[in-house]
Every structure is written in structure tokens, then in C-alpha cells.
Amino acid sequence: FTSTRDLRMSCSYAEGLSEYHDKGKLGLPEKFDNQKEIDAKVNLLAEWISKAKHIVVHTGAGISTSAGIPDFRGPKGVWTLEKKGEKPEMNVSWDDAQPTKTHMALAKLVEVDKVKFIVTQNIDGLHLRSGIPRSSIAELHGNMFVDQCDKCHKMFVRDSPAPTVGQKYVGGDCPATRNNGRNCRGKLKDFVLDWEAELPDSDLSLSDTHSMMADLSIVMGSTLQIIPAGNLPTYSKKYQEGGKLVICNLQPTKQDKKADLSIHTYVDDVMEMVMKKLGLEIPEYDKGSDPVRLTRLRQFPGDELFIDWTQDEENAKDLKKIGDLIHDEYLKKRREEKKRKSSLDLLDKGDIKTSKMQKKVEDEVKEEKLDIENGNSENGLLLNTSNAAEEATENGEKSGRSCRKTDAYYCEDEDIDTIGSKPDKGELSVAMQDAYKYEENGDSDDAADNVEEFSSVRSCKKTDSYQFETEIDIGSKKSFSETCYTPSSRNCKKTDSYEFEDEDFS
């Protein structure tokens, strides 16, 4: 246990914490931009500040080094030197440390309502002493100059730094009264969080929602290695369309890849230049309005016996509802975007499939055209329709048939010995014999009537050709130019060919 006297020194704060091995990346090299780069970056930052509607600033130990308080992970930081068995050279007491130019510039930006909220990981109390109101700041890791009641959970400004860290009892009674006028009777603890301690609910809720609402997040003096504080600055890009992230730090940070602008120089120099661009003066630190000094002098507001530093719990709950709505809307947009991408993926797959089908059809058409050009039909025999029609017309063998647009005639299950000439009467059915008899006698009407019975048992199908199939050798293709005798009463439709099935051509 570190003595009270030791803890009054800024470099001894870490000694009061419990042992913790993983302190992050220590002693990373610092980088400095040249003056030309700094001028260009500061001009851009000032422009963004002028246009932004909701600015949230996230501060770390780097903004207090110019006040004589060492940082933790810098080249000369507390934990960097601790690893080497050394201690920092700078070692100002908490009492003697005063707010820096950066602290005072931020207080002015809050006063003129340009900065809406400040989220700090610092426990040095310098934001409190700069005059920033409690409603405008969240102290996620606590404050050396604040006590908290274990019963009513109210917070009170101390006149000196706490003698302990890790939310231990400091030996005082709660000065607040209940609603009935009686004393609270609670006990006071320091408000300095230890490793892995739960963050204060109200401060965390306000930090979450303001970070979600921010269209410009500015990080000053932090490597953003501790979560959740290290992730909050990225919410401006996550939840706000066109939201921006600016990081002002000498060392590389965890979120550099997400930053829209990174400035590598001293934060005090940056704030001096920015305030000048904005036409604002940085106020001087005023001891007369420092809440710590006022508590020491017992100068309390009104009839109170303390300066209240309690976070507004009701305001935090109201803002949390807004934060929940923002988060729900974000999730809704993500679902819609995911659904849209899935639909596009399906369309792309469908286009690929359609293209493959079209190519397949085109290939099949090309193959068919090649087959036709080479004189090979699907069944292996193709008749020249125009030649066959001309020959049939010349020979007068059309026999009154009303068939249009055909490539050939295909007759199945027929037994024809000779296709090029009329068959013998003995080889025909009775109906066909009667038809020939009437035809030879010149009585075509009777022949047609007699054939009608024969035609009723035949069927036509759309095919590429009319082909006579037989079990015997039917000869060369030339034989197909001869007439196929069919009844004139047959009902043929417009098609590429006609196919006769299941007929008894005995």
C-alpha cells in the first residue's frame, strides 16, 4: 500500500493500482510533421470544426504532459520506464498542476457550444479545474479530486487529491441529505478506478450516445489502447454518414487506419493554431473559479456545504434511449445493405446461368444449321423440298394434297417395296384398291370418298422431315423425290415436316 504522501505526486498514481501485466504497447517512437504539413492539416481541421454540428473530443494523458504530469506509454512514460526499473523525471504534485492551453481551449469551445461533449481517460482533474461543467464531460476512469458516496452515489469535489486509488474508503461521511432532510449517512470512497473496474454507468451512457451522434470526433493525446474508450472515437464514422475522425498524437494509435486526418505535433500548438483560425481566444486559467480551490476555501454555491460533481443520471438515461434508436437504425441499414448485396449476388449468378443457357442454345442452333447445310437431318435423311415439290408438280403426282412448308415426308411402320412407282393393287388394302380403281376409271370423286375411310386412321406429327422407314433397303435419296401417295382429305398443318405414325401400309 502506497502512502498518502507518495500518492500526492503525479508519477506515483500508477503505484497505487493493483498489479496488471498487459499494459499495452509501450515506448512506441514519436513522429513529428514538418511545419508545412502542420499548417495544411490545421487549416483543414479548423474548416471541419467550423462546419461540424456535433463535435466530441476524446482526451488522454498526452494533453497533460505540458502541465508536468507524465504520460504512461510514451518514450518517457510511467509504464515504459517502469519496465526498465526507472521513474519519470517530471513529477509535479497533483495540487500544483494547472490546466494547459489545450484544457482551456476545450473549455472555451464547450462554452461557445462548438464542442458538445468531452470524453476523457484522465484522472488528473484538470478538465474539472478548467471550468468545464459536469454535464459536458465523462470521466471514464475517475478523478483524483472527487469522492463518491457508497449509498446515494453522489459525487463531491475534494480540496486535495484522494489519499487512495481503486475506489477505497477515504475516511469521510457523505455530506448530502435525503429528500426527507435527514443526513445520507453514507461513506465516501475515492473516484479513481482500478484495472478492470466497472466504468461509471452514467458517464459511459453519455459517452456512447454522444460518440454516436458526433459528425466529428477529435482525439488528443491518446494512443487509444484502452477499451471501450479507445473505440468510441470511431463511432462518428460508424453511425454518421460522412462522419470524420481526427487524431492528434505523437505516437501511432490503434485507430490510425480509420482516421481521416492525423496530426503529429504537440497538442498545445495545434489548439493555439485552431483557435486563431476560428477567431477565438484561449482563456487563462482562473484560480478564482477552480472548484478544487473553492472547496479548499469553503466557498460553496448557495447554502450548500459542498460542490456537487454528480453526473445527471436522468439525462444519461434519456440520451441512452437516443443512442439505442441510433444503434437500431444502424442495424436496420446493415440488414438492408446485406439483403441488397445478397439480391445482387443472386442476380449475378442468374445472369451467369442465363448466359450459359443462351450460349448452349446458340451452339445447338449452329449445329442444326451445319447439319442442314451438310444434308444431314436428325434422322439422317434430308429431302430438298423445293426440288421434290417441283418434280411432283412436273409429274402431276400432287394428287390434290394441301400440305404447306415441308422438308420431307416421314412414314413409319410401312412396308413399301418400291417408292419410285405405284404399288401393285394386290399389295394395297381394300380401300386403297378401290381408290385406284375409281381413279383409273376417271371417277376421282368416288376415289376420294373411298380413301377417306383409310385416312381416318393416320396421324401427323411435326418433325424435320417425312421419312419412309422400312426393314428393306429403300435405295438412294433420289427415290424420295417421287410422290408419296396420300389421301387428299388429310388434315395437315403448317410445319417444317409431317410424320406419319402407326399406319398399316400392307
Side-chain angles (χ1 to χ4, degrees):
F1 183 81
T2 307
S3 68
T4 300
R5 182 178 180 182
D6 287 337
L7 285 179
R8 299 178 76 88
M9 305 306 291
S10 58
C11 70
S12 301
Y13 150 70
E15 296 176 9
L17 299 174
S18 59
E19 185 140 357
Y20 195 79
H21 296 289
D22 186 11
K23 295 185 172 76
K25 295 182 178 180
L26 308 176
L28 294 174
E30 296 179 337
K31 176 183 177 181
F32 290 86
D33 294 332
N34 60 50
Q35 192 57 48
K36 186 177 180 180
E37 290 174 328
I38 293 171
D39 291 341
K41 290 178 179 180
V42 168
N43 287 339
L44 185 58
L45 175 57
E47 180 183 341
W48 287 352
I49 291 175
S50 299
K51 294 179 179 179
K53 296 180 180 179
H54 198 105
I55 300 173
V56 176
V57 179
H58 304 260
T59 64
I63 71 168
S64 298
T65 53
S66 61
I69 300 174
D71 60 22
F72 297 100
R73 297 177 180 84
K76 297 181 180 180
V78 174
W79 289 324
T80 304
L81 296 177
E82 179 187 67
K83 195 173 181 179
K84 300 177 182 179
E86 303 175 5
K87 286 189 176 182
E89 294 179 3
M90 65 171 67
N91 190 20
V92 68
S93 70
W94 297 113
D95 283 322
D96 294 336
Q98 294 184 2
T100 65
K101 290 181 179 179
T102 298
H103 288 97
M104 298 311 300
L106 292 176
K108 183 64 176 180
L109 290 173
V110 169
E111 180 187 335
V112 298
D113 201 32
K114 201 61 193 172
V115 169
K116 300 296 182 182
F117 202 71
I118 293 174
V119 180
T120 187
Q121 302 173 61
N122 297 342
I123 55 89
D124 53 34
L126 294 182
H127 281 303
L128 160 70
R129 302 180 73 176
S130 70
I132 291 178
R134 184 65 168 111
S135 58
S136 298
I137 188 170
E139 296 174 321
L140 294 182
H141 297 167
N143 189 330
M144 286 292 292
F145 288 91
V146 173
D147 289 336
Q148 186 173 23
C149 176
D150 65 352
K151 205 172 238 186
C152 68
H153 303 295
K154 285 187 177 181
M155 296 183 183
F156 312 96
V157 176
R158 292 179 55 88
D159 62 1
S160 62
T164 61
V165 297
Q167 296 173 298
K168 299 179 179 70
Y169 288 104
V170 295
D173 296 329
C174 178
T177 56
R178 302 178 187 176
N179 293 332
N180 59 12
R182 295 181 179 180
N183 292 333
C184 171
R185 297 184 180 180
K187 301 297 181 182
L188 297 178
K189 292 182 176 182
D190 70 74
F191 181 51
V192 182
L193 276 62
D194 202 347
W195 292 107
E196 297 185 350
E198 290 186 7
L199 302 186
D201 287 339
S202 296
D203 287 83
L204 185 57
S205 295
L206 290 167
S207 300
D208 274 336
T209 301
H210 277 289
S211 297
M212 291 179 188
M213 297 171 66
D215 55 353
L216 176 60
S217 293
I218 303 174
V219 177
M220 308 199 81
S222 174
T223 55
L224 303 175
Q225 294 189 51
I226 302 297
I227 57 173
N231 292 333
L232 293 176
T234 65
Y235 285 7
S236 57
K237 297 179 71 67
K238 179 178 180 179
Y239 291 101
Q240 297 296 323
E241 186 175 353
K244 293 181 174 61
L245 170 60
V246 177
I247 298 178
C248 303
N249 200 59
L250 291 175
Q251 291 177 291
T253 77
K254 181 182 175 183
Q255 307 295 356
D256 281 348
K257 291 182 180 179
K258 296 181 180 179
D260 297 284
L261 180 65
S262 293
I263 306 176
H264 303 100
T265 191
Y266 297 111
V267 289
D268 284 350
D269 294 342
V270 172
M271 291 311 298
E272 278 190 286
M273 296 173 69
V274 166
M275 295 296 280
K276 188 175 181 180
K277 297 286 182 185
L278 296 175
L280 298 172
E281 290 186 6
I282 300 176
E284 295 289 335
Y285 163 64
D286 182 9
K287 291 183 180 180
S289 60
D290 182 346
V292 173
R293 188 170 182 277
L294 292 175
T295 300
R296 191 178 301 154
L297 296 173
R298 312 290 293 175
Q299 295 179 4
F300 304 119
D303 298 330
E304 299 290 345
L305 298 176
F306 52 83
I307 295 177
D308 192 350
W309 192 247
T310 308
Q311 189 62 269
D312 190 339
E313 187 176 347
E314 293 302 317
N315 181 41
K317 288 180 179 179
D318 291 340
L319 274 178
K320 186 179 184 303
K321 292 177 183 178
I322 296 174
D324 290 341
L325 291 175
I326 294 173
H327 185 64
D328 289 343
E329 185 65 23
Y330 165 76
L331 293 178
K332 181 181 177 182
K333 288 181 179 179
R334 281 198 66 181
R335 286 192 295 267
E336 290 175 352
E337 182 66 17
K338 187 176 180 180
K339 186 177 179 181
R340 187 185 69 83
K341 287 182 179 179
S342 297
S343 299
L344 290 175
D345 289 342
L346 288 174
L347 286 174
D348 290 341
K349 290 178 181 178
D351 290 341
I352 293 171
K353 188 175 181 180
T354 302
S355 298
K356 289 182 178 179
M357 291 178 67
Q358 288 177 346
K359 188 175 184 303
K360 185 178 179 181
V361 171
E362 290 173 359
D363 290 342
E364 289 176 353
V365 171
K366 288 179 181 178
E367 288 179 5
E368 289 183 3
K369 288 182 177 179
L370 287 173
D371 287 342
I372 292 172
E373 291 174 359
N374 295 331
N376 296 320
S377 68
E378 182 180 353
N379 293 293
L381 294 173
L382 179 64
L383 296 179
N384 188 309
T385 307
S386 59
N387 292 338
E390 289 174 3
E391 290 179 9
T393 303
E394 291 173 0
N395 296 329
E397 295 172 343
K398 191 173 182 180
S399 188
R401 188 176 181 88
S402 178
C403 294
R404 290 172 294 172
K405 190 180 179 182
T406 179
D407 293 334
Y409 293 92
Y410 174 52
C411 302
E412 290 185 352
D413 301 328
E414 298 178 0
D415 190 7
I416 302 176
D417 294 333
T418 306
I419 297 175
S421 60
K422 291 182 180 180
D424 294 336
K425 292 180 181 179
E427 297 175 352
L428 300 176
S429 65
V430 175
M432 288 301 290
Q433 289 180 27
D434 291 342
Y436 278 113
K437 181 174 69 175
Y438 289 121
E439 188 178 26
E440 289 173 354
N441 295 333
D443 194 349
S444 59
D445 293 335
D446 292 337
D449 293 337
N450 203 29
V451 169
E452 184 175 359
E453 178 185 354
F454 171 75
S455 64
S456 63
V457 298
R458 303 192 64 176
S459 62
C460 282
K461 272 190 177 182
K462 182 176 179 180
T463 182
D464 291 336
S465 64
Y466 287 95
Q467 178 178 347
F468 298 98
E469 287 188 352
T470 177
E471 296 178 356
I472 63 173
D473 186 8
I474 60 175
S476 64
K477 293 182 182 180
K478 292 182 179 179
S479 61
F480 284 88
S481 63
E482 301 297 332
T483 304
C484 175
Y485 289 94
T486 56
S488 60
S489 61
R490 186 176 186 82
N491 182 21
C492 294
K493 296 180 182 179
K494 182 177 181 180
T495 179
D496 291 338
S497 59
Y498 298 90
E499 178 183 353
F500 301 98
E501 294 183 346
D502 301 329
E503 300 178 0
D504 186 12
F505 244 174
S506 58

